[in-house]
Amino acid sequence: MKHFTSIADVNDVNQLVEQAISFKANAFQPELRKGKKVGLVFLNPSLRTRLSTQVAAQNLGAEAIVLDIGKDGWALEFEDGKIMNGDKAEHIREAAAVMGRYFDVLGVRTFPSLTDKATDYSETLLQSFLKHAGIPVLSLESGTRHPLQSLADLMTIKEHWTKDRKPKVVLTWAPHIKALPQAVPNSFAEWMMHADVDFSITNPEGYNLAPEFREGVSVYHDQAAGLAGADFVYVKNWSAYEAYGQVLSQDESWSFGNDQLALTNNAKVMHCLPVRRGLVIKDEVLDSANAIHLDQAENRVYAAQSVLNELLK
Ligand code: CP
């Protein structure tokens, strides 16, 4: 595996998941990638991705160094050919290339603008790092995808599924007060489309994901119909794709509580975190045995460890 920016970079998804599960059973193996250096560059805030990737690197004997580039680094210019007479002090051509000389792998977190669909969906920022770093690049979430989260999600579903049939997995939209990226639901959908599961989506009118992230997937605009018989429900807010980046609805009847859970097959309930309690998922579900969001968060360590082990080979 040369880079890890989407499922398309992965040669063998099952092997990556099985390796993550085996790291969970035996995490500390410092001889594996001893002496390797991992740079983790954040253009946006993070709790889980930052900490889990650092722990993962340590478990492999590698050192992870974090740069909050939005706070501690020079403001970056991404546009080529520009005369830099504004507030941007350093071009990505130099910044990424320099980091490429310090590290063996470079992790990068970027968020979408949610105002310019074309720029966000062409992954301009991530592509600039890929082009100029000269070393393997690890997405720590980008404009359109969050593959480390999705790998941990798939691992969590595998851990919790013991029956001899495909689980029914449903991604449901939930309300939020802010416009959030589509990266987590896009990525989850992309990984579920490749997994051995029966996958569908439920969201209000106007909230369909981009066509490439729901090809062949049933989409229900009636949440009750979408949730019927689900074994796993992934609850997540996202802003509109068509009316790009807009909050079209804050309909709290889509908040996931016991009424929604009752429609499912006693589903395990998932969320990538951070979650706004009471709004996205109600406390009655988050504090119940059905909620597996903390398992997902824990598995972020082993998902990152599995990916870093491959990228640092
Ligand atoms: N789920 C997730 O990526 O969390 P952070 O934004 O805290 O890293």
Side-chain angles (χ1 to χ4, degrees):
M1 187 162 61
K2 206 169 156 201
H3 303 287
F4 184 75
T5 62
S6 82
I7 196 167
D9 290 327
V10 182
N11 304 324
D12 186 340
V13 173
N14 278 336
Q15 179 270 336
L16 206 60
V17 173
E18 290 307 322
Q19 182 172 246
I21 290 171
S22 96
F23 276 134
K24 190 168 184 175
N26 182 18
F28 192 56
Q29 301 192 46
E31 295 306 315
L32 271 181
R33 301 291 172 247
K34 190 175 175 177
K36 297 288 185 181
K37 290 198 164 44
V38 179
L40 302 175
V41 175
F42 288 85
L43 281 79
N44 303 92
S46 165
L47 186 153
R48 279 144 292 273
T49 307
R50 169 194 299 251
L51 297 178
S52 63
T53 312
Q54 287 181 85
V55 173
Q58 282 182 8
N59 283 344
L60 291 168
E63 185 179 0
I65 297 173
V66 175
L67 176 63
D68 279 316
I69 209 154
K71 205 168 69 175
D72 302 326
W74 301 108
L76 291 181
E77 176 61 66
F78 286 84
E79 198 177 321
D80 277 333
K82 193 156 182 185
I83 295 172
M84 290 173 57
N85 58 3
D87 57 356
K88 308 275 176 62
E90 178 151 33
H91 202 280
I92 187 65
R93 282 177 174 266
E94 281 76 36
V98 167
M99 289 189 274
R101 295 193 182 199
Y102 296 158
F103 301 117
D104 299 293
V105 165
L106 186 62
V108 180
R109 168 168 281 199
T110 67
F111 275 180
S113 66
L114 293 180
T115 54
D116 182 343
K117 186 192 284 187
T119 300
D120 291 346
Y121 272 71
S122 60
E123 294 281 14
T124 306
L125 304 189
L126 181 64
Q127 289 300 329
S128 297
F129 281 97
L130 282 160
K131 192 168 169 190
H132 300 299
I135 57 172
V137 169
L138 165 66
S139 168
L140 304 171
E141 186 172 351
S142 67
T144 64
R145 292 178 175 87
H146 195 351
L148 276 180
Q149 179 68 54
S150 306
L151 174 58
D153 296 337
L154 178 56
M155 175 187 174
T156 308
I157 289 171
K158 282 211 167 191
E159 278 183 333
H160 280 273
W161 189 244
T162 51
K163 295 189 180 140
D164 190 22
R165 65 169 171 82
K166 281 186 187 186
K168 177 172 178 174
V169 179
V170 178
L171 168 65
T172 182
W173 181 91
H176 202 283
I177 57 161
K178 295 172 90 173
L180 296 191
Q182 295 120 28
V184 168
N186 281 348
S187 201
F188 184 70
E190 188 168 60
W191 284 66
M192 287 302 108
M193 282 153 65
H194 280 80
D196 194 21
V197 301
D198 169 10
F199 177 60
S200 53
I201 304 174
T202 180
N203 57 254
E205 299 270 4
Y207 277 97
N208 283 353
L209 297 176
E212 62 268 34
F213 294 105
R214 55 183 164 85
E215 206 178 311
V217 175
S218 299
V219 177
Y220 298 85
H221 296 313
D222 173 349
Q223 193 189 35
L227 292 174
D231 298 301
F232 292 87
V233 179
Y234 203 101
V235 188
K236 184 73 183 82
N237 170 268
W238 60 90
S239 59
Y241 171 75
E242 284 292 329
Y244 191 62
Q246 290 187 30
V247 176
L248 303 175
S249 166
Q250 294 185 348
D251 183 353
E252 291 192 14
S253 72
W254 283 73
S255 296
F256 198 92
N258 279 342
D259 288 348
Q260 280 78 7
L261 188 60
L263 301 166
T264 70
N265 185 27
N266 193 27
K268 298 293 183 194
V269 179
M270 306 177 73
H271 192 282
C272 60
L273 302 180
V275 64
R276 285 184 183 244
R277 282 178 167 258
L279 178 62
V280 175
I281 305 180
K282 295 183 181 165
D283 290 11
E284 62 202 22
V285 171
L286 279 171
D287 298 331
S288 76
N290 292 77
I292 56 171
H293 55 306
L294 298 183
D295 293 342
Q296 289 171 263
E298 179 183 354
N299 287 340
R300 292 292 307 275
V301 170
Y302 310 108
Q305 194 166 342
S306 186
V307 170
L308 281 176
N309 192 47
E310 296 302 311
L311 293 178
L312 288 168
K313 261 181 186 167

